[in-house]
Amino acid sequence: MSKNHVMKMSRLYAPTLKEDPAEAELASHKLMLRAGMIRKQAAGLYSYLPLAWRSLKKIEQIVREEMDAAGAQEMLLPILTDAELWRESGRWNAYGPELMRVTDRHGREFALGPTHEETITDLITNELKSYKQLPVNLYQIQDKFRDEMRPRFGLMRGREFIMKDGYSFNANQESLQETYDAMKDAYARICERCGVRALPVVADSGQIGGDTSVEFMALADAGEAALVYCDDCGFAADEEAATTQVAVTEGSGDGTLEKVHTPGLGTIEAVAAFFGFPENGTRKSLALIAEDGTPVVAIVPGDHELNDCKAEKLFGAYHLMSEEELQEHGLFKGFIGPVNLPQGIRLVVDETLRDSKKWACGANEVDYHYTGACPGRDFTVDEWADLITVREGDPCPHCGAALKGARGIEVSQVFQLGTKYSASMGATFTDEDGKEKPFLMGCYGIGVSRTMAAVIEQHNDEQGIIWPVSVAPYEVSVIALDKKGEAFDEAARIADELAAAGVEVVFDDRAERPGVKFADNDLMGFPYQLVVGKRGLKNGTVEFKDRATGEREDLPLAEAVEKIAAVVADARAQFGA
Ligand code: ATP
Ligand code: MG
C-alpha cells in the first residue's frame, strides 16, 4: 500500500444539502447532490466535485486494469471530430439532432464526439496495413457529448458524460469473436469489481445463434429497461425482445363449438370470471390496421399483451382500429374473435397458441362469445407469429424455468460491428491470401459516469450512500467527537497512521455536534467509520462501524490501526483489487 494523505473534513469541498433537492427523482441523483458530489451547470451538464471525482477515477482505474489485462491499449483521440468523417460513414445526417455540431472560424464543420468509430477508423487507415499487425484493440476514457432529447436523472443521462470507448480491428470473424468474448468477460469483471450487479443481456443475435451484441444491465428499480431473466440458466433479455413458450391453458368442455350469451362482458377479466377460466384460458383479439392498410386481427393469450416492437416488425407503422374502422370492418369492440371473421381481415395468431384448442374467444357478434373454438376446425389462421411481451413467470426459452422480472440500467455494451465502418470509409488491410479486405471491427463502450450512478442506485439507504470499498471516494472516516483535547489528538494520530499504512482516510475534524458528523459521514457513505471519543478512550477503546451492515465494534486503541488496515485490505481483495 502506498502512502496517502489524510483529507480533513473541515477542508473538504463537499457542500452537503440537508433536504432532498426537488429536481431529483432518483436516489443516485438526490444523494450525489446532497452529499456534495455533483452540481448541475445546465441541463445534462454536471461538475464533478472532489468526492465524485475520486470515485470516478477509481472506476476508470478498474476499467483500465481490466482493459489492459485483456490486451487493449489506452490512447486518446480528439474530442472534436471532423464532419467529413461523419459524411463518409453516412452518419452526419443519420445521427440527427443528438450530434452536437460546431463550426470553426473557417466555416469548417465538426461534431463533439458522441462516440468515435469514424475518428479511430480514419486513424488506422493507411497505417494498419497487414494481417500480421492484427488484431489491434484500442481504447480511451473521455468526455462524450450527446444532445439527448431528455437529459435527466443526474449522471444517468447527461449531455456531457464520461465514457470508455474501445475499438478492435480484426482480420477475420474468428479473431473478432475472440476479442469480443475477451471484452465481454472483462466487462463482467468490471461490473463485479465496481460492486455493480449486472446481467448481460443479448441485444443482437448473430446468424449462427451466438450473440453479436450484449448490454450489461445493472439491476435497479430506477432502470429504464424492463428485463426478464432466468436464475437457473442465466438467460437474460429485454422484455421487448424476449421470446417465450408460454404454456397456455385450454378452455374446459368436450371441445364442441358453442356460442354463449355474454351480455356486457367485453373484457378478458369479465369473460374469464364468467367461464371460470384463468385469464390465460381466454384469447385476446386486437383489431388493427397495418401500415399498408390491411385490416388485421391479432390474437394473443388473454393474460399477455401484444408487443409493440414485434407488432411493428410485422405490420409496419400500424394502429389499433378506431370505433369507425371497427364498424367499417364489421367488428365489435370486446367481442372480436377468430370464428366468423368478416371477409378480408388477416388473422395473425401468437406462436404460443399453435397447439392449443378449445378457445374461449369473441364471436364477432355483440354480447356473444364462443367456447370450444379450435384452430383449423373452426377458423383458419393466416400466420403464426411471435407477438407477445414476455413477463415475469413465463417459462425461460432455454430451460423452461420461470422467468423473473427486473428493471435495468444499461451501463455498458459490447458490439460486433463487422465491416460497417471499414467498408464505408475504405479502411482495408492485406490478408494472408494477398487480398485487400475491409477490417472487421468491434466496439466496446462503458458509461463511466453512469456506472457511478448505478453503483449508488444499488448501494444506498435512508441515511445515504453505502460505497463498495473499491469505488469509495475514501475508505475510512475517522470521526473525532471533540474538537480538541485527547479524543481529537488520538483521532488525528489514528488517521495519520492509517494513511501511512496506505488506507484512504478522511478525518472529520470539524467543530460540529456528533449527530451532524454521523449524519454527514453516513450520507457520504464511507465504508468504514471510526469514532474516537472521551468515553471510549477511558476504557482504552475506539468504536468501529461498518456502514453497510451498521455493525459496531469496540476496538482496543492499541490494535485499531492494524485491525482497520486489515479489514480494508480484505474488502479490497473481495473486489478483486
Ligand atoms: P442509451 O440507450 O441509454 O441512450 P446508448 O445505447 O445510446 O445508451 P452507447 O452508445 O452504447 O449508449 O454508449 C455506451 C455507454 O455509454 C452506454 O452503455 C451508457 O453506459 C453510456 N451512455 C450513453 N449515453 C449516455 C448519457 N446520455 N449519459 C450518460 N451515459 C451514457
Ligand atoms: Mg448501448
Side-chain angles (χ1 to χ4, degrees), residues 95 98 114-115 146 148 154-164 215-216 224 410-413 444-451:
Y95 218 100
E98 218 169 281
T115 176
R146 294 184 185 181
E148 297 274 356
L155 301 192
M156 286 287 181
R157 189 168 292 287
R159 293 199 296 169
E160 176 175 350
F161 57 96
I162 305 173
M163 199 205 286
K164 172 253 140 177
E215 293 172 337
F216 286 81
E224 289 182 292
E410 183 199 314
V411 287
S412 54
Q413 182 166 24
Y444 317 98
I446 299 181
V448 172
S449 43
R450 188 185 280 182
T451 294

Side-chain angles (χ1 to χ4, degrees), residues 262-557:
T262 52
L265 303 183
T267 64
I268 290 290
E269 206 182 345
V271 173
F274 178 83
F275 288 116
F277 297 159
E279 290 188 9
N280 184 273
T282 67
R283 304 291 172 257
K284 189 184 287 180
S285 302
L286 298 123
L288 55 93
I289 306 280
E291 185 171 353
D292 66 2
T294 312
V296 174
V297 162
I299 300 189
V300 298
D303 61 343
H304 279 74
E305 301 299 328
L306 175 69
N307 181 297
D308 199 43
C309 281
K310 293 178 183 176
E312 269 194 12
K313 272 194 195 141
L314 279 169
F315 310 124
Y318 74 96
H319 66 268
L320 293 177
M321 285 192 195
S322 64
E323 298 278 343
E324 292 79 49
E325 284 166 331
L326 285 171
Q327 218 167 26
E328 184 188 321
H329 290 97
L331 295 171
F332 307 97
K333 192 171 183 191
F335 302 94
I336 303 167
V339 186
N340 297 333
L341 202 60
Q343 281 289 311
I345 298 180
R346 188 172 168 73
L347 182 61
V348 183
V349 180
D350 187 62
E351 277 291 353
T352 60
L353 295 172
R354 219 187 246 272
D355 298 323
S356 76
K357 297 191 173 60
K358 296 189 274 184
W359 296 12
C361 49
N364 293 317
E365 204 178 318
V366 177
D367 289 347
Y368 283 94
H369 277 81
Y370 279 114
T371 55
C374 297
R377 185 189 69 185
D378 304 317
F379 56 89
T380 309
V381 174
D382 294 311
E383 189 182 346
W384 298 94
D386 178 18
L387 290 178
I388 57 174
T389 299
V390 174
R391 23 166 260 192
E392 192 157 7
D394 285 344
C396 168
H398 290 318
C399 74
L403 291 171
K404 295 193 169 157
R407 299 198 70 82
I409 299 163
E410 183 199 314
V411 287
S412 54
Q413 182 166 24
V414 290
F415 208 98
Q416 296 189 25
L417 292 167
T419 57
K420 181 170 177 200
Y421 295 93
S422 51
S424 61
M425 297 181 68
T428 59
F429 67 100
T430 312
D431 204 357
E432 221 166 344
D433 55 12
K435 290 203 178 111
E436 199 77 352
K437 294 179 186 168
F439 295 98
L440 286 177
M441 289 173 62
C443 71
Y444 317 98
I446 299 181
V448 172
S449 43
R450 188 185 280 182
T451 294
M452 182 168 72
V455 170
I456 297 174
E457 284 301 325
Q458 290 188 349
H459 302 274
N460 71 77
D461 63 11
E462 286 290 298
Q463 277 65 51
I465 302 167
I466 307 170
W467 287 109
V469 78
S470 56
V471 294
Y474 291 94
E475 294 163 325
V476 176
S477 66
V478 178
I479 303 169
L481 289 188
D482 295 325
K483 58 178 190 284
K484 52 181 189 290
E486 194 197 358
F488 186 94
D489 294 342
E490 276 304 311
R493 178 189 62 80
I494 292 171
D496 278 341
E497 286 182 19
L498 280 172
V503 176
E504 299 173 353
V505 190
V506 174
F507 172 33
D508 196 345
D509 62 333
R510 295 174 302 165
E512 292 282 0
R513 285 180 293 112
V516 171
K517 293 188 174 191
F518 295 149
D520 283 346
N521 279 277
D522 278 355
L523 174 63
M524 291 175 188
F526 309 118
Y528 304 104
Q529 297 171 12
L530 190 74
V531 183
V532 185
K534 271 198 286 258
R535 209 176 314 155
L537 288 179
K538 230 176 247 160
N539 304 320
T541 61
V542 287
E543 190 186 60
F544 185 56
K545 178 180 151 186
D546 183 319
R547 174 69 180 89
T549 62
E551 273 164 33
R552 292 158 197 275
E553 189 189 349
D554 285 332
L555 300 180
L557 185 59

Side-chain angles (χ1 to χ4, degrees), residues 82-84 87 92 102-110:
D82 197 327
E84 282 315 307
R87 291 202 175 94
W92 183 251
V102 288
T103 308
D104 74 8
R105 64 171 76 200
H106 307 294
R108 202 180 163 106
E109 291 173 301
F110 293 83

Side-chain angles (χ1 to χ4, degrees), residues 27-316:
S28 58
H29 189 190
K30 280 182 201 163
L31 290 171
M32 278 192 260
L33 286 167
R34 281 192 50 205
M37 292 174 62
I38 58 168
R39 285 296 180 263
K40 181 163 112 180
Q41 217 288 305
L45 304 182
Y46 286 87
S47 303
Y48 307 116
L49 277 47
L51 287 176
W53 190 237
R54 286 183 66 93
S55 186
L56 285 166
K57 280 193 291 188
K58 287 193 173 178
I59 296 171
E60 288 184 5
Q61 189 52 29
I62 289 171
V63 170
R64 271 191 190 101
E65 286 172 18
E66 293 299 334
M67 286 300 104
D68 295 350
Q73 302 170 58
E74 186 170 7
M75 61 171 304
L76 193 61
L77 298 163
I79 287 179
L80 276 184
T81 57
D82 197 327
E84 282 315 307
L85 300 178
W86 292 87
R87 291 202 175 94
E88 258 181 70
S89 72
R91 287 209 290 183
W92 183 251
N93 289 328
Y95 218 100
E98 218 169 281
L99 196 60
M100 290 215 176
R101 297 159 209 253
V102 288
T103 308
D104 74 8
R105 64 171 76 200
H106 307 294
R108 202 180 163 106
E109 291 173 301
F110 293 83
L112 292 167
T115 176
H116 278 71
E117 283 84 359
E118 282 83 355
T119 311
I120 194 109
T121 305
D122 179 62
L123 174 83
I124 59 92
T125 305
N126 303 325
E127 306 240 59
L128 267 183
K129 289 189 173 126
S130 160
Y131 73 95
K132 286 182 200 151
Q133 296 166 286
L134 302 179
V136 168
N137 190 358
L138 301 167
Y139 75 96
Q140 59 172 348
I141 298 174
Q142 181 190 61
D143 272 16
K144 292 284 185 279
F145 296 82
R146 294 184 185 181
D147 200 355
E148 297 274 356
M149 173 98 98
R150 288 183 68 197
R152 59 192 174 146
F153 303 145
L155 301 192
M156 286 287 181
R157 189 168 292 287
R159 293 199 296 169
E160 176 175 350
F161 57 96
I162 305 173
M163 199 205 286
K164 172 253 140 177
D165 50 326
Y167 309 88
S168 72
F169 297 89
N170 304 78
N172 52 52
Q173 181 57 37
E174 259 174 294
S175 164
L176 172 58
Q177 189 68 44
E178 227 169 78
T179 306
Y180 171 84
D181 288 340
M183 287 293 106
K184 214 163 56 169
D185 289 349
Y187 273 40
R189 275 194 303 276
I190 288 166
C191 285
E192 268 169 43
R193 289 186 57 187
C194 292
V196 172
R197 289 184 306 280
L199 290 176
V201 169
V202 174
D204 253 314
S205 304
Q207 278 149 353
I208 45 168
D211 53 83
T212 57
S213 177
V214 160
E215 293 172 337
F216 286 81
M217 294 284 186
L219 298 178
D221 293 339
E224 289 182 292
L227 310 175
V228 286
Y229 66 98
C230 175
D231 264 342
D232 281 21
C233 75
F235 166 82
D238 199 294
E239 203 182 71
E240 290 296 316
T243 56
T244 183
Q245 293 296 324
V246 200
V248 287
T249 323
E250 300 194 346
S252 54
D254 60 4
T256 337
L257 183 68
E258 199 183 331
K259 187 151 57 166
V260 185
H261 193 213
T262 52
L265 303 183
T267 64
I268 290 290
E269 206 182 345
V271 173
F274 178 83
F275 288 116
F277 297 159
E279 290 188 9
N280 184 273
T282 67
R283 304 291 172 257
K284 189 184 287 180
S285 302
L286 298 123
L288 55 93
I289 306 280
E291 185 171 353
D292 66 2
T294 312
V296 174
V297 162
I299 300 189
V300 298
D303 61 343
H304 279 74
E305 301 299 328
L306 175 69
N307 181 297
D308 199 43
C309 281
K310 293 178 183 176
E312 269 194 12
K313 272 194 195 141
L314 279 169
F315 310 124

